[in-house]
């Protein structure tokens, strides 16, 4: 099931261009950025395209601007997930911020899921009619149509005009040469107009890439900050904060920029809670052995005083016989 795909799945390597082309062709929209779908309305209609009748389209708001209105769309999407028993977690708090990386990852998952249903083939789905039932659906359709029309007109105006031949220029009177000279410049100025548009598109592409890079850096920063925070909480534990090793770790955590940490780093390498624990166990074992030795001496002294003189003499003779030679017998 697509709900359980891993982060290294091929679905998460689909580019933004392919994602946008899939959305625009499926829903007859004209999105230029993935984060334009952060309101959640596009996700709801994509689910409606693969599961017709499952999504209550009259509750979807294509004109959502505030986070509150966007959250209502994601509530509708979550209800659809619950009906279909999909366990995919929707990070609403990140998606409504319009961050490119989060919206791209979620849309990549949406494409993977929609492609897994009927092989991604849509049968008799009328996106425009279904969107008319939504709040702001007609306006979204008109905006998409206007954007497509302006794109077509700009592309047609950017087409180069045919230049006049040299033969016609020879037969023209000299008085009209100046006018023709200016008129011939006009198409050249129009031909240079698409250059700024292409540059703007390249700048937008670069800005989007930088936004994605910044989002990845922020995620990595938050990850390592949480790890350092866990270490700090562990060092503040009353059971361990008195240890020298913990003190060295705190000095490293709270050190200012440019501060020499060579002594603290060396101390952390020499100190070890395991070594301290083994030293304590060794000292306690020595103390217990000393106590046993003292108790044994006291017992031996008490036993000697309780023996009779004859028993003491026999014991001493046994000791002398046994200590003289192993070959002699008493």
């Amino acid at each position: 099931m697509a709900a359980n795909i891993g982060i290294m799945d091929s679905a998460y390597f689909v580019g933004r261009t392919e994602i946008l082309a899939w959305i625009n062709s499926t829903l007859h929209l004209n999105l230029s950025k993935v984060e334009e779908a952060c309101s959640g309305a596009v996700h709801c209609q994509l689910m409606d395209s693969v599961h017709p009748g499952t999504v209550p389209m009259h509750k979807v708001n294509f004109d959502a601007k505030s986070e509150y209105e966007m959250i209502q769309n994601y509530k509708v999407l979550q209800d659809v997930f619950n009906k279909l028993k999909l366990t995919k977690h929707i990070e609403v708090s990140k998606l409504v911020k319009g961050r490119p990386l989060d919206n791209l990852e979620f849309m990549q998952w949406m494409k993977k899921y929609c492609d897994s249903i009927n092989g991604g083939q849509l049968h008799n789905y009328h996106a425009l009619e279904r969107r008319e039932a939504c709040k702001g659906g007609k306006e979204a359709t008109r905006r998409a149509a206007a954007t497509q029309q302006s794109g077509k007109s700009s592309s047609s105006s950017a087409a180069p005009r045919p230049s006049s031949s040299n033969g016609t220029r020879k037969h023209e009177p000299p008085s009209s040469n100046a006018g023709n000279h200016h008129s011939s410049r006009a198409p050249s100025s129009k031909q240079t107009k698409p250059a700024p548009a292409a540059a703007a598109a390249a700048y937008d592409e670069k800005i989007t890439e930088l936004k994605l890079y910044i989002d990845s850096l922020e995620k990595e920063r938050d990850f390592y900050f949480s790890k350092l925070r866990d270490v700090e909480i562990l060092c503040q534990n009353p059971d361990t904060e008195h240890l020298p090793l913990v003190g060295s770790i705190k000095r490293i955590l709270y050190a200012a920029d440019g501060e020499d940490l060579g002594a603290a780093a060396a101390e952390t390498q020499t100190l070890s809670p395991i070594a301290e624990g083994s030293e304590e166990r060794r000292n306690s074992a020595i103390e217990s052995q000393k106590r046993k030795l003292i108790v044994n001496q006291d017992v031996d002294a008490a036993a000697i005083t309780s023996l009779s003189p004859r028993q003491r003499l026999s014991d001493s003779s046994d000791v002398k016989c046994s200590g003289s030679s192993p070959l002699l017998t008493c």
Side-chain angles (χ1 to χ4, degrees), residues 262-276:
E267 189 175 355
T268 54
Q269 292 178 358
T270 55
L271 294 176
S272 175
I274 299 175
E276 292 178 359

Side-chain angles (χ1 to χ4, degrees), residues 5-66:
I5 62 176
I7 193 65
M8 297 305 295
D9 192 271
S10 59
Y12 291 106
F13 294 94
V14 180
R16 292 183 308 106
T17 305
E18 184 177 352
I19 292 291
L20 290 172
W22 168 67
I23 296 173
N24 294 331
S25 62
T26 303
L27 304 182
H28 300 288
L29 292 173
N30 194 21
L31 301 182
S32 59
K33 297 179 181 178
V34 179
E35 54 268 28
E36 292 179 4
C38 64
S39 65
V42 174
H43 304 89
C44 292
Q45 190 171 11
L46 287 173
M47 294 299 296
D48 182 70
S49 65
V50 293
H51 298 287
T54 307
V55 182
M57 296 298 291
H58 64 280
K59 295 183 180 181
V60 180
N61 185 4
F62 268 86
D63 197 27
K65 296 294 188 298
S66 63

Side-chain angles (χ1 to χ4, degrees), residues 272-286:
S272 175
I274 299 175
E276 292 178 359
S278 61
E279 184 68 23
E280 292 178 358
R281 288 194 296 271
R282 187 159 50 250
N283 293 335
S284 62
I286 293 173

Side-chain angles (χ1 to χ4, degrees), residues 236-263:
Q236 292 174 353
N237 190 356
D239 297 334
T240 59
E241 63 179 355
H242 64 279
L243 298 176
L245 178 62
V246 175
S248 301
I249 295 175
K250 284 184 178 180
R251 284 197 294 274
I252 295 175
L253 286 177
Y254 303 139
D257 293 338
E259 186 176 346
D260 187 14
L261 299 176

